[in-house]
Structure formats: C-alpha cells, structure tokens
Amino acid sequence: DQQVKQNSPSLSVQEGRISILNCDYTNSMFDYFLWYKKYPAEGPTFLISISSIKDKNEDGRFTVFLNKSAKHLSLHIVPSQPGDSAVYFCAASAFDGQNFVFGPGTRLSVLP
Amino acid sequence: EAGVVQSPRYKIIEKKQPVAFWCNPISGHNTLYWYLQNLGQGPELLIRYENEEAVDDSQLPKDRFSAERLKGVDSTLKIQPAELGDSAVYLCASSNGAQGEQFFGPGTRLTVL
C-alpha cells in the first residue's frame, strides 16, 4: 500500500519551459513534505519543503504547491535547465518531521 | 563541511555470506537513518537512531539485519546471511533533529550473487 505516489515515472521537458512534477498521498496525517533530487550514483539532496499550514513555498526557480483537500502536491521548476535532469522524490511525514515516507520518484529529462 | 560518508561504495558477495556497511554522519547530527532503495523505488526506512538509541527499527528485518551506533556517531549495518533479494542500494542519512531535511550519503550498492 503506497502512501506516497508519483504516478509519472518519467517526464521530458524542453529547456526554458516549466517542469511540473506531481505527488499524491493517501495518509491524511501527513503534515510536512519534502522534495529531493537525485543524480546517478549520488544520494538524494534536499530541494524544498512545505508544511501543511502553507499552500505554497518558493525558492528561486523551484515552487512547491500543496492542496490538502486533494492530498496532492506539485513541484514547479521554471525555467527548466539541463542540469535539472535527475530523479525527483516526494517525501511526506506525519507529526514529527523525522520519519519520512518516500514516493517512487519521477525521472525528469530537460532537453537542450 | 564534510557530508555523510559511506563505505564501501560497492559490494558484491555470494548469497549466504555476511556483509557490513559503514556510515559516518555529518558532525553534530544526532539523528541517523539507514534506508534501503530498490531499483525504481524511493528510499525505505530501515532504522532511525537518536544518538545511540534506535528509536524506530520497525522496518528492520531482524532475523538477518542488525545495526549499531555505539558511541552515537558512526554506525554499522550488517546483513547475515545475505539473500538474493537484498541486492539494493543502502543509504545512510543524518539530520540535526529539527523538522526537515536529511542529508544523504552516496549509498552502498550491494549485489548478491
């Protein structure tokens, strides 16, 4: 039973355009969410977070949107760059922000 | 500042052999995590330490897996005996305990033949 779902295994976007990566969750107790980026042969690196008290958080080219009623969040990357090509994981935590459940990831390819 | 260090980076063993992975977290990080990542999947928590105490090991298969963090700094994860299905990447992460990001090491890719 996957509590965190990323239904698109892969996504291709042209350089300069917007990339939108989606994440859905089933556990209504989740209240803190993270996005990680992972390059091959490296560990995941933190990208951006959002708490359930917000519906949007922005950091440079990266914006995360949270729709609690739909149990859905999305990561927007604008403009997309070839260096953004990586696997993106959505992760969710309930209560303590310590234990996170990760989604299966979406592989983003930004084409020059 | 040095990141999370893991060794070895790669390990190939035959089934039924023992194997151990080592992790040194970021200095000052009291919380340490071991994750398992199968191909095409996200990391799955095996165990979480607060200092030297294992506060969540509910997902650790205790019949063959063990972990320790004796002095509350570096940690070792062991599998004995290894099975074919244990082939995966084993990730270590650490955090300073505040809500939020974990810092991951590069992982150890285990292949069991």
Side-chain angles (χ1 to χ4, degrees), chain A residues 2 32 34 36 38 41-44 46 89 96-100 102-104, chain B residues 9 33 35 37 40-43 45 48 56 97-102 104-106:
Chain A
Q2 262 190 350
Y32 195 72
L34 305 178
Y36 280 86
K38 184 182 183 305
E42 295 183 13
F46 170 77
F89 293 101
D96 63 359
Q98 299 292 328
N99 282 3
F100 284 87
F102 284 77
Chain B
R9 292 294 311 274
Y33 307 79
Y35 288 92
Q37 185 177 16
Q41 299 297 317
L45 180 69
R48 175 181 134 216
D56 186 349
Q99 183 185 48
E101 69 174 294
Q102 301 170 20
F104 283 83

PDB file of all heavy atoms in Angstrom, chain A residues 2 32 34 36 38 41-44 46 89 96-100 102-104, chain B residues 9 33 35 37 40-43 45 48 56 97-102 104-106:
ATOM      1  N   GLN A   2       0.981   1.899  -1.171  1.00  0.00           N
ATOM      2  CA  GLN A   2       1.852   3.070  -1.274  1.00  0.00           C
ATOM      3  C   GLN A   2       1.168   4.274  -0.690  1.00  0.00           C
ATOM      4  O   GLN A   2       0.101   4.685  -1.176  1.00  0.00           O
ATOM      5  CB  GLN A   2       2.192   3.322  -2.744  1.00  0.00           C
ATOM      6  CG  GLN A   2       3.514   2.786  -3.181  1.00  0.00           C
ATOM      7  CD  GLN A   2       3.909   3.269  -4.559  1.00  0.00           C
ATOM      8  OE1 GLN A   2       3.120   3.860  -5.269  1.00  0.00           O
ATOM      9  NE2 GLN A   2       5.133   3.015  -4.937  1.00  0.00           N
ATOM     10  N   TYR A  32       3.954  17.390   6.629  1.00  0.00           N
ATOM     11  CA  TYR A  32       5.209  18.032   6.241  1.00  0.00           C
ATOM     12  C   TYR A  32       5.756  17.272   5.056  1.00  0.00           C
ATOM     13  O   TYR A  32       5.798  16.036   5.073  1.00  0.00           O
ATOM     14  CB  TYR A  32       6.196  18.028   7.401  1.00  0.00           C
ATOM     15  CG  TYR A  32       7.362  18.956   7.215  1.00  0.00           C
ATOM     16  CD1 TYR A  32       7.192  20.336   7.292  1.00  0.00           C
ATOM     17  CD2 TYR A  32       8.631  18.458   6.975  1.00  0.00           C
ATOM     18  CE1 TYR A  32       8.260  21.198   7.124  1.00  0.00           C
ATOM     19  CE2 TYR A  32       9.705  19.311   6.809  1.00  0.00           C
ATOM     20  CZ  TYR A  32       9.518  20.686   6.880  1.00  0.00           C
ATOM     21  OH  TYR A  32      10.581  21.532   6.712  1.00  0.00           O
ATOM     22  N   LEU A  34       8.637  17.073   1.676  1.00  0.00           N
ATOM     23  CA  LEU A  34       9.924  17.460   1.116  1.00  0.00           C
ATOM     24  C   LEU A  34      10.017  16.984  -0.320  1.00  0.00           C
ATOM     25  O   LEU A  34       9.399  15.976  -0.700  1.00  0.00           O
ATOM     26  CB  LEU A  34      11.080  16.815   1.904  1.00  0.00           C
ATOM     27  CG  LEU A  34      11.164  17.025   3.404  1.00  0.00           C
ATOM     28  CD1 LEU A  34      12.352  16.255   3.962  1.00  0.00           C
ATOM     29  CD2 LEU A  34      11.298  18.493   3.736  1.00  0.00           C
ATOM     30  N   TYR A  36      13.185  15.909  -2.946  1.00  0.00           N
ATOM     31  CA  TYR A  36      14.602  15.625  -3.087  1.00  0.00           C
ATOM     32  C   TYR A  36      14.911  15.416  -4.560  1.00  0.00           C
ATOM     33  O   TYR A  36      14.079  14.927  -5.322  1.00  0.00           O
ATOM     34  CB  TYR A  36      14.986  14.347  -2.328  1.00  0.00           C
ATOM     35  CG  TYR A  36      15.170  14.523  -0.849  1.00  0.00           C
ATOM     36  CD1 TYR A  36      14.091  14.446   0.022  1.00  0.00           C
ATOM     37  CD2 TYR A  36      16.432  14.771  -0.318  1.00  0.00           C
ATOM     38  CE1 TYR A  36      14.273  14.601   1.385  1.00  0.00           C
ATOM     39  CE2 TYR A  36      16.615  14.928   1.043  1.00  0.00           C
ATOM     40  CZ  TYR A  36      15.524  14.845   1.884  1.00  0.00           C
ATOM     41  OH  TYR A  36      15.709  15.000   3.229  1.00  0.00           O
ATOM     42  N   LYS A  38      17.860  13.576  -7.116  1.00  0.00           N
ATOM     43  CA  LYS A  38      18.919  12.566  -7.064  1.00  0.00           C
ATOM     44  C   LYS A  38      19.560  12.400  -8.431  1.00  0.00           C
ATOM     45  O   LYS A  38      18.879  12.089  -9.415  1.00  0.00           O
ATOM     46  CB  LYS A  38      18.358  11.223  -6.581  1.00  0.00           C
ATOM     47  CG  LYS A  38      19.446  10.160  -6.408  1.00  0.00           C
ATOM     48  CD  LYS A  38      18.865   8.842  -5.993  1.00  0.00           C
ATOM     49  CE  LYS A  38      19.941   7.805  -5.744  1.00  0.00           C
ATOM     50  NZ  LYS A  38      20.851   7.610  -6.892  1.00  0.00           N
ATOM     51  N   ALA A  41      24.345   7.639  -9.009  1.00  0.00           N
ATOM     52  CA  ALA A  41      25.483   7.303  -8.150  1.00  0.00           C
ATOM     53  C   ALA A  41      25.689   8.306  -7.012  1.00  0.00           C
ATOM     54  O   ALA A  41      26.774   8.349  -6.410  1.00  0.00           O
ATOM     55  CB  ALA A  41      26.766   7.143  -8.953  1.00  0.00           C
ATOM     56  N   GLU A  42      24.690   9.125  -6.742  1.00  0.00           N
ATOM     57  CA  GLU A  42      24.759  10.034  -5.597  1.00  0.00           C
ATOM     58  C   GLU A  42      23.546   9.818  -4.712  1.00  0.00           C
ATOM     59  O   GLU A  42      22.526   9.279  -5.146  1.00  0.00           O
ATOM     60  CB  GLU A  42      24.789  11.492  -6.056  1.00  0.00           C
ATOM     61  CG  GLU A  42      26.028  11.864  -6.839  1.00  0.00           C
ATOM     62  CD  GLU A  42      26.034  13.338  -7.217  1.00  0.00           C
ATOM     63  OE1 GLU A  42      25.205  14.095  -6.670  1.00  0.00           O
ATOM     64  OE2 GLU A  42      26.864  13.715  -8.060  1.00  0.00           O
ATOM     65  N   GLY A  43      23.650  10.262  -3.460  1.00  0.00           N
ATOM     66  CA  GLY A  43      22.480  10.222  -2.603  1.00  0.00           C
ATOM     67  C   GLY A  43      21.533  11.368  -2.931  1.00  0.00           C
ATOM     68  O   GLY A  43      21.919  12.348  -3.559  1.00  0.00           O
ATOM     69  N   PRO A  44      20.274  11.246  -2.524  1.00  0.00           N
ATOM     70  CA  PRO A  44      19.320  12.338  -2.736  1.00  0.00           C
ATOM     71  C   PRO A  44      19.775  13.608  -2.025  1.00  0.00           C
ATOM     72  O   PRO A  44      20.358  13.542  -0.941  1.00  0.00           O
ATOM     73  CB  PRO A  44      18.023  11.801  -2.123  1.00  0.00           C
ATOM     74  CG  PRO A  44      18.192  10.319  -2.063  1.00  0.00           C
ATOM     75  CD  PRO A  44      19.650  10.091  -1.855  1.00  0.00           C
ATOM     76  N   PHE A  46      18.383  17.489  -0.732  1.00  0.00           N
ATOM     77  CA  PHE A  46      17.180  18.247  -0.408  1.00  0.00           C
ATOM     78  C   PHE A  46      16.990  19.413  -1.377  1.00  0.00           C
ATOM     79  O   PHE A  46      17.936  20.107  -1.745  1.00  0.00           O
ATOM     80  CB  PHE A  46      17.289  18.760   1.031  1.00  0.00           C
ATOM     81  CG  PHE A  46      16.221  19.748   1.412  1.00  0.00           C
ATOM     82  CD1 PHE A  46      14.949  19.307   1.700  1.00  0.00           C
ATOM     83  CD2 PHE A  46      16.504  21.098   1.471  1.00  0.00           C
ATOM     84  CE1 PHE A  46      13.960  20.204   2.058  1.00  0.00           C
ATOM     85  CE2 PHE A  46      15.521  22.001   1.824  1.00  0.00           C
ATOM     86  CZ  PHE A  46      14.246  21.561   2.122  1.00  0.00           C
ATOM     87  N   PHE A  89      12.208  12.909  -5.911  1.00  0.00           N
ATOM     88  CA  PHE A  89      11.410  12.163  -4.941  1.00  0.00           C
ATOM     89  C   PHE A  89      10.596  13.123  -4.094  1.00  0.00           C
ATOM     90  O   PHE A  89      11.107  14.133  -3.606  1.00  0.00           O
ATOM     91  CB  PHE A  89      12.310  11.340  -4.008  1.00  0.00           C
ATOM     92  CG  PHE A  89      13.044  10.228  -4.685  1.00  0.00           C
ATOM     93  CD1 PHE A  89      14.380  10.369  -5.037  1.00  0.00           C
ATOM     94  CD2 PHE A  89      12.409   9.028  -4.957  1.00  0.00           C
ATOM     95  CE1 PHE A  89      15.069   9.344  -5.661  1.00  0.00           C
ATOM     96  CE2 PHE A  89      13.088   7.984  -5.584  1.00  0.00           C
ATOM     97  CZ  PHE A  89      14.417   8.155  -5.937  1.00  0.00           C
ATOM     98  N   ASP A  96       6.086  14.428  13.323  1.00  0.00           N
ATOM     99  CA  ASP A  96       7.367  14.800  13.903  1.00  0.00           C
ATOM    100  C   ASP A  96       8.406  15.323  12.919  1.00  0.00           C
ATOM    101  O   ASP A  96       9.462  15.795  13.346  1.00  0.00           O
ATOM    102  CB  ASP A  96       7.976  13.606  14.665  1.00  0.00           C
ATOM    103  CG  ASP A  96       8.279  12.416  13.748  1.00  0.00           C
ATOM    104  OD1 ASP A  96       8.002  12.491  12.539  1.00  0.00           O
ATOM    105  OD2 ASP A  96       8.801  11.415  14.269  1.00  0.00           O
ATOM    106  N   GLY A  97       8.102  15.237  11.631  1.00  0.00           N
ATOM    107  CA  GLY A  97       9.073  15.702  10.653  1.00  0.00           C
ATOM    108  C   GLY A  97      10.386  14.962  10.704  1.00  0.00           C
ATOM    109  O   GLY A  97      11.409  15.474  10.262  1.00  0.00           O
ATOM    110  N   GLN A  98      10.366  13.759  11.249  1.00  0.00           N
ATOM    111  CA  GLN A  98      11.586  12.969  11.359  1.00  0.00           C
ATOM    112  C   GLN A  98      11.541  11.755  10.443  1.00  0.00           C
ATOM    113  O   GLN A  98      12.501  11.480   9.725  1.00  0.00           O
ATOM    114  CB  GLN A  98      11.778  12.496  12.814  1.00  0.00           C
ATOM    115  CG  GLN A  98      11.919  13.606  13.819  1.00  0.00           C
ATOM    116  CD  GLN A  98      13.213  14.384  13.651  1.00  0.00           C
ATOM    117  OE1 GLN A  98      14.226  13.840  13.243  1.00  0.00           O
ATOM    118  NE2 GLN A  98      13.176  15.669  13.940  1.00  0.00           N
ATOM    119  N   ASN A  99      10.473  11.016  10.513  1.00  0.00           N
ATOM    120  CA  ASN A  99      10.339   9.830   9.661  1.00  0.00           C
ATOM    121  C   ASN A  99       9.554  10.188   8.405  1.00  0.00           C
ATOM    122  O   ASN A  99       8.425  10.666   8.501  1.00  0.00           O
ATOM    123  CB  ASN A  99       9.607   8.712  10.415  1.00  0.00           C
ATOM    124  CG  ASN A  99      10.511   8.004  11.384  1.00  0.00           C
ATOM    125  OD1 ASN A  99      11.665   8.358  11.549  1.00  0.00           O
ATOM    126  ND2 ASN A  99       9.972   6.992  12.044  1.00  0.00           N
ATOM    127  N   PHE A 100      10.163   9.964   7.268  1.00  0.00           N
ATOM    128  CA  PHE A 100       9.533  10.323   6.011  1.00  0.00           C
ATOM    129  C   PHE A 100       9.246   9.083   5.177  1.00  0.00           C
ATOM    130  O   PHE A 100      10.042   8.141   5.146  1.00  0.00           O
ATOM    131  CB  PHE A 100      10.433  11.274   5.216  1.00  0.00           C
ATOM    132  CG  PHE A 100      10.423  12.670   5.740  1.00  0.00           C
ATOM    133  CD1 PHE A 100      11.281  13.046   6.756  1.00  0.00           C
ATOM    134  CD2 PHE A 100       9.533  13.609   5.236  1.00  0.00           C
ATOM    135  CE1 PHE A 100      11.253  14.337   7.265  1.00  0.00           C
ATOM    136  CE2 PHE A 100       9.507  14.898   5.733  1.00  0.00           C
ATOM    137  CZ  PHE A 100      10.372  15.269   6.752  1.00  0.00           C
ATOM    138  N   PHE A 102       8.796   7.972   1.340  1.00  0.00           N
ATOM    139  CA  PHE A 102       9.183   8.474   0.022  1.00  0.00           C
ATOM    140  C   PHE A 102       8.321   7.876  -1.077  1.00  0.00           C
ATOM    141  O   PHE A 102       7.905   6.714  -1.001  1.00  0.00           O
ATOM    142  CB  PHE A 102      10.640   8.113  -0.269  1.00  0.00           C
ATOM    143  CG  PHE A 102      11.642   8.951   0.464  1.00  0.00           C
ATOM    144  CD1 PHE A 102      11.903   8.736   1.810  1.00  0.00           C
ATOM    145  CD2 PHE A 102      12.325   9.966  -0.189  1.00  0.00           C
ATOM    146  CE1 PHE A 102      12.824   9.510   2.487  1.00  0.00           C
ATOM    147  CE2 PHE A 102      13.256  10.748   0.482  1.00  0.00           C
ATOM    148  CZ  PHE A 102      13.497  10.520   1.819  1.00  0.00           C
ATOM    149  N   GLY A 103       8.067   8.679  -2.100  1.00  0.00           N
ATOM    150  CA  GLY A 103       7.450   8.171  -3.318  1.00  0.00           C
ATOM    151  C   GLY A 103       8.478   7.465  -4.172  1.00  0.00           C
ATOM    152  O   GLY A 103       9.673   7.488  -3.865  1.00  0.00           O
ATOM    153  N   PRO A 104       8.047   6.837  -5.264  1.00  0.00           N
ATOM    154  CA  PRO A 104       8.955   6.063  -6.115  1.00  0.00           C
ATOM    155  C   PRO A 104       9.830   6.909  -7.022  1.00  0.00           C
ATOM    156  O   PRO A 104      10.777   6.386  -7.622  1.00  0.00           O
ATOM    157  CB  PRO A 104       8.008   5.191  -6.929  1.00  0.00           C
ATOM    158  CG  PRO A 104       6.745   5.978  -6.979  1.00  0.00           C
ATOM    159  CD  PRO A 104       6.656   6.689  -5.667  1.00  0.00           C
TER     160      PRO A 104
ATOM    161  N   ARG B   9      31.495   1.762  -1.353  1.00  0.00           N
ATOM    162  CA  ARG B   9      30.534   2.274  -2.326  1.00  0.00           C
ATOM    163  C   ARG B   9      29.852   1.146  -3.080  1.00  0.00           C
ATOM    164  O   ARG B   9      28.677   1.261  -3.449  1.00  0.00           O
ATOM    165  CB  ARG B   9      31.228   3.199  -3.326  1.00  0.00           C
ATOM    166  CG  ARG B   9      31.718   4.510  -2.731  1.00  0.00           C
ATOM    167  CD  ARG B   9      30.554   5.394  -2.268  1.00  0.00           C
ATOM    168  NE  ARG B   9      29.510   5.534  -3.268  1.00  0.00           N
ATOM    169  CZ  ARG B   9      29.525   6.438  -4.237  1.00  0.00           C
ATOM    170  NH1 ARG B   9      30.526   7.288  -4.337  1.00  0.00           N
ATOM    171  NH2 ARG B   9      28.530   6.496  -5.122  1.00  0.00           N
ATOM    172  N   TYR B  33      19.896   7.751   9.971  1.00  0.00           N
ATOM    173  CA  TYR B  33      18.939   6.867   9.313  1.00  0.00           C
ATOM    174  C   TYR B  33      19.664   5.891   8.401  1.00  0.00           C
ATOM    175  O   TYR B  33      20.639   6.254   7.742  1.00  0.00           O
ATOM    176  CB  TYR B  33      17.971   7.650   8.428  1.00  0.00           C
ATOM    177  CG  TYR B  33      17.224   8.789   9.059  1.00  0.00           C
ATOM    178  CD1 TYR B  33      17.837  10.019   9.267  1.00  0.00           C
ATOM    179  CD2 TYR B  33      15.884   8.659   9.396  1.00  0.00           C
ATOM    180  CE1 TYR B  33      17.142  11.088   9.818  1.00  0.00           C
ATOM    181  CE2 TYR B  33      15.171   9.720   9.946  1.00  0.00           C
ATOM    182  CZ  TYR B  33      15.809  10.928  10.152  1.00  0.00           C
ATOM    183  OH  TYR B  33      15.107  11.976  10.687  1.00  0.00           O
ATOM    184  N   TYR B  35      18.500   3.577   5.120  1.00  0.00           N
ATOM    185  CA  TYR B  35      17.429   3.319   4.157  1.00  0.00           C
ATOM    186  C   TYR B  35      17.864   2.224   3.192  1.00  0.00           C
ATOM    187  O   TYR B  35      19.040   2.053   2.886  1.00  0.00           O
ATOM    188  CB  TYR B  35      17.119   4.562   3.327  1.00  0.00           C
ATOM    189  CG  TYR B  35      16.418   5.682   4.032  1.00  0.00           C
ATOM    190  CD1 TYR B  35      17.134   6.699   4.646  1.00  0.00           C
ATOM    191  CD2 TYR B  35      15.028   5.756   4.042  1.00  0.00           C
ATOM    192  CE1 TYR B  35      16.488   7.749   5.271  1.00  0.00           C
ATOM    193  CE2 TYR B  35      14.370   6.812   4.661  1.00  0.00           C
ATOM    194  CZ  TYR B  35      15.124   7.810   5.270  1.00  0.00           C
ATOM    195  OH  TYR B  35      14.469   8.843   5.877  1.00  0.00           O
ATOM    196  N   GLN B  37      17.079   1.179  -0.811  1.00  0.00           N
ATOM    197  CA  GLN B  37      16.451   1.663  -2.031  1.00  0.00           C
ATOM    198  C   GLN B  37      16.567   0.607  -3.114  1.00  0.00           C
ATOM    199  O   GLN B  37      17.680   0.309  -3.578  1.00  0.00           O
ATOM    200  CB  GLN B  37      17.067   2.973  -2.513  1.00  0.00           C
ATOM    201  CG  GLN B  37      16.336   3.545  -3.718  1.00  0.00           C
ATOM    202  CD  GLN B  37      16.865   4.861  -4.192  1.00  0.00           C
ATOM    203  OE1 GLN B  37      17.967   5.271  -3.841  1.00  0.00           O
ATOM    204  NE2 GLN B  37      16.067   5.562  -4.977  1.00  0.00           N
ATOM    205  N   GLY B  40      14.203   1.699  -9.044  1.00  0.00           N
ATOM    206  CA  GLY B  40      12.931   2.269  -9.454  1.00  0.00           C
ATOM    207  C   GLY B  40      12.006   2.635  -8.309  1.00  0.00           C
ATOM    208  O   GLY B  40      10.839   2.966  -8.530  1.00  0.00           O
ATOM    209  N   GLN B  41      12.516   2.555  -7.089  1.00  0.00           N
ATOM    210  CA  GLN B  41      11.710   2.878  -5.915  1.00  0.00           C
ATOM    211  C   GLN B  41      12.364   3.989  -5.111  1.00  0.00           C
ATOM    212  O   GLN B  41      13.539   4.302  -5.293  1.00  0.00           O
ATOM    213  CB  GLN B  41      11.543   1.639  -5.030  1.00  0.00           C
ATOM    214  CG  GLN B  41      10.830   0.484  -5.711  1.00  0.00           C
ATOM    215  CD  GLN B  41       9.411   0.825  -6.091  1.00  0.00           C
ATOM    216  OE1 GLN B  41       8.683   1.432  -5.304  1.00  0.00           O
ATOM    217  NE2 GLN B  41       8.994   0.451  -7.295  1.00  0.00           N
ATOM    218  N   GLY B  42      11.580   4.562  -4.207  1.00  0.00           N
ATOM    219  CA  GLY B  42      12.142   5.539  -3.296  1.00  0.00           C
ATOM    220  C   GLY B  42      12.794   4.863  -2.104  1.00  0.00           C
ATOM    221  O   GLY B  42      12.598   3.661  -1.875  1.00  0.00           O
ATOM    222  N   PRO B  43      13.582   5.601  -1.337  1.00  0.00           N
ATOM    223  CA  PRO B  43      14.198   5.032  -0.132  1.00  0.00           C
ATOM    224  C   PRO B  43      13.133   4.572   0.863  1.00  0.00           C
ATOM    225  O   PRO B  43      12.114   5.231   1.044  1.00  0.00           O
ATOM    226  CB  PRO B  43      15.003   6.202   0.435  1.00  0.00           C
ATOM    227  CG  PRO B  43      15.217   7.134  -0.719  1.00  0.00           C
ATOM    228  CD  PRO B  43      13.994   7.001  -1.565  1.00  0.00           C
ATOM    229  N   LEU B  45      12.738   3.385   4.894  1.00  0.00           N
ATOM    230  CA  LEU B  45      13.439   3.434   6.178  1.00  0.00           C
ATOM    231  C   LEU B  45      13.631   2.036   6.756  1.00  0.00           C
ATOM    232  O   LEU B  45      12.687   1.249   6.839  1.00  0.00           O
ATOM    233  CB  LEU B  45      12.658   4.300   7.163  1.00  0.00           C
ATOM    234  CG  LEU B  45      13.287   4.446   8.546  1.00  0.00           C
ATOM    235  CD1 LEU B  45      14.575   5.275   8.463  1.00  0.00           C
ATOM    236  CD2 LEU B  45      12.305   5.078   9.528  1.00  0.00           C
ATOM    237  N   ARG B  48      16.095   4.159  12.470  1.00  0.00           N
ATOM    238  CA  ARG B  48      16.454   5.536  12.797  1.00  0.00           C
ATOM    239  C   ARG B  48      17.035   5.581  14.212  1.00  0.00           C
ATOM    240  O   ARG B  48      16.476   4.991  15.140  1.00  0.00           O
ATOM    241  CB  ARG B  48      15.227   6.436  12.724  1.00  0.00           C
ATOM    242  CG  ARG B  48      15.469   7.873  13.165  1.00  0.00           C
ATOM    243  CD  ARG B  48      14.195   8.680  13.080  1.00  0.00           C
ATOM    244  NE  ARG B  48      13.986   9.470  14.282  1.00  0.00           N
ATOM    245  CZ  ARG B  48      12.796   9.715  14.832  1.00  0.00           C
ATOM    246  NH1 ARG B  48      11.719   9.211  14.296  1.00  0.00           N
ATOM    247  NH2 ARG B  48      12.708  10.451  15.902  1.00  0.00           N
ATOM    248  N   ASP B  56      13.374   3.858  16.059  1.00  0.00           N
ATOM    249  CA  ASP B  56      12.414   3.248  15.142  1.00  0.00           C
ATOM    250  C   ASP B  56      13.140   2.193  14.325  1.00  0.00           C
ATOM    251  O   ASP B  56      13.913   2.532  13.430  1.00  0.00           O
ATOM    252  CB  ASP B  56      11.782   4.291  14.227  1.00  0.00           C
ATOM    253  CG  ASP B  56      10.672   3.708  13.360  1.00  0.00           C
ATOM    254  OD1 ASP B  56      10.531   2.469  13.306  1.00  0.00           O
ATOM    255  OD2 ASP B  56       9.944   4.493  12.736  1.00  0.00           O
ATOM    256  N   GLY B  97      18.058  16.883  13.816  1.00  0.00           N
ATOM    257  CA  GLY B  97      16.933  16.646  14.705  1.00  0.00           C
ATOM    258  C   GLY B  97      15.792  17.608  14.520  1.00  0.00           C
ATOM    259  O   GLY B  97      14.676  17.340  14.934  1.00  0.00           O
ATOM    260  N   ALA B  98      16.069  18.752  13.902  1.00  0.00           N
ATOM    261  CA  ALA B  98      14.978  19.689  13.651  1.00  0.00           C
ATOM    262  C   ALA B  98      14.118  19.148  12.521  1.00  0.00           C
ATOM    263  O   ALA B  98      14.561  18.356  11.710  1.00  0.00           O
ATOM    264  CB  ALA B  98      15.546  21.052  13.265  1.00  0.00           C
ATOM    265  N   GLN B  99      12.888  19.594  12.501  1.00  0.00           N
ATOM    266  CA  GLN B  99      11.982  19.122  11.461  1.00  0.00           C
ATOM    267  C   GLN B  99      12.546  19.483  10.095  1.00  0.00           C
ATOM    268  O   GLN B  99      12.913  20.622   9.843  1.00  0.00           O
ATOM    269  CB  GLN B  99      10.617  19.776  11.623  1.00  0.00           C
ATOM    270  CG  GLN B  99       9.585  19.280  10.630  1.00  0.00           C
ATOM    271  CD  GLN B  99       8.286  20.046  10.752  1.00  0.00           C
ATOM    272  OE1 GLN B  99       8.259  21.256  10.787  1.00  0.00           O
ATOM    273  NE2 GLN B  99       7.181  19.323  10.820  1.00  0.00           N
ATOM    274  N   GLY B 100      12.622  18.475   9.230  1.00  0.00           N
ATOM    275  CA  GLY B 100      13.046  18.821   7.884  1.00  0.00           C
ATOM    276  C   GLY B 100      14.119  17.951   7.317  1.00  0.00           C
ATOM    277  O   GLY B 100      14.150  16.756   7.549  1.00  0.00           O
ATOM    278  N   GLU B 101      15.001  18.568   6.543  1.00  0.00           N
ATOM    279  CA  GLU B 101      15.826  17.838   5.618  1.00  0.00           C
ATOM    280  C   GLU B 101      16.803  16.887   6.269  1.00  0.00           C
ATOM    281  O   GLU B 101      17.319  17.131   7.354  1.00  0.00           O
ATOM    282  CB  GLU B 101      16.577  18.803   4.706  1.00  0.00           C
ATOM    283  CG  GLU B 101      17.644  19.628   5.399  1.00  0.00           C
ATOM    284  CD  GLU B 101      18.442  20.444   4.402  1.00  0.00           C
ATOM    285  OE1 GLU B 101      19.159  19.838   3.587  1.00  0.00           O
ATOM    286  OE2 GLU B 101      18.352  21.671   4.469  1.00  0.00           O
ATOM    287  N   GLN B 102      16.997  15.807   5.560  1.00  0.00           N
ATOM    288  CA  GLN B 102      18.011  14.835   5.899  1.00  0.00           C
ATOM    289  C   GLN B 102      19.102  14.936   4.843  1.00  0.00           C
ATOM    290  O   GLN B 102      18.827  15.183   3.681  1.00  0.00           O
ATOM    291  CB  GLN B 102      17.420  13.423   5.903  1.00  0.00           C
ATOM    292  CG  GLN B 102      16.279  13.260   6.896  1.00  0.00           C
ATOM    293  CD  GLN B 102      15.553  11.954   6.715  1.00  0.00           C
ATOM    294  OE1 GLN B 102      16.061  11.006   6.128  1.00  0.00           O
ATOM    295  NE2 GLN B 102      14.339  11.894   7.223  1.00  0.00           N
ATOM    296  N   PHE B 104      21.891  12.955   2.831  1.00  0.00           N
ATOM    297  CA  PHE B 104      22.166  11.579   2.450  1.00  0.00           C
ATOM    298  C   PHE B 104      23.613  11.388   2.018  1.00  0.00           C
ATOM    299  O   PHE B 104      24.235  12.275   1.406  1.00  0.00           O
ATOM    300  CB  PHE B 104      21.271  11.161   1.274  1.00  0.00           C
ATOM    301  CG  PHE B 104      19.856  10.854   1.665  1.00  0.00           C
ATOM    302  CD1 PHE B 104      18.924  11.863   1.801  1.00  0.00           C
ATOM    303  CD2 PHE B 104      19.460   9.548   1.903  1.00  0.00           C
ATOM    304  CE1 PHE B 104      17.606  11.587   2.155  1.00  0.00           C
ATOM    305  CE2 PHE B 104      18.156   9.246   2.252  1.00  0.00           C
ATOM    306  CZ  PHE B 104      17.232  10.271   2.382  1.00  0.00           C
ATOM    307  N   GLY B 105      24.128  10.204   2.318  1.00  0.00           N
ATOM    308  CA  GLY B 105      25.389   9.776   1.764  1.00  0.00           C
ATOM    309  C   GLY B 105      25.172   9.230   0.359  1.00  0.00           C
ATOM    310  O   GLY B 105      24.034   9.140  -0.110  1.00  0.00           O
ATOM    311  N   PRO B 106      26.263   8.829  -0.317  1.00  0.00           N
ATOM    312  CA  PRO B 106      26.155   8.353  -1.694  1.00  0.00           C
ATOM    313  C   PRO B 106      25.583   6.951  -1.816  1.00  0.00           C
ATOM    314  O   PRO B 106      25.193   6.533  -2.898  1.00  0.00           O
ATOM    315  CB  PRO B 106      27.598   8.392  -2.200  1.00  0.00           C
ATOM    316  CG  PRO B 106      28.408   8.210  -0.961  1.00  0.00           C
ATOM    317  CD  PRO B 106      27.655   8.897   0.142  1.00  0.00           C
TER     318      PRO B 106
END
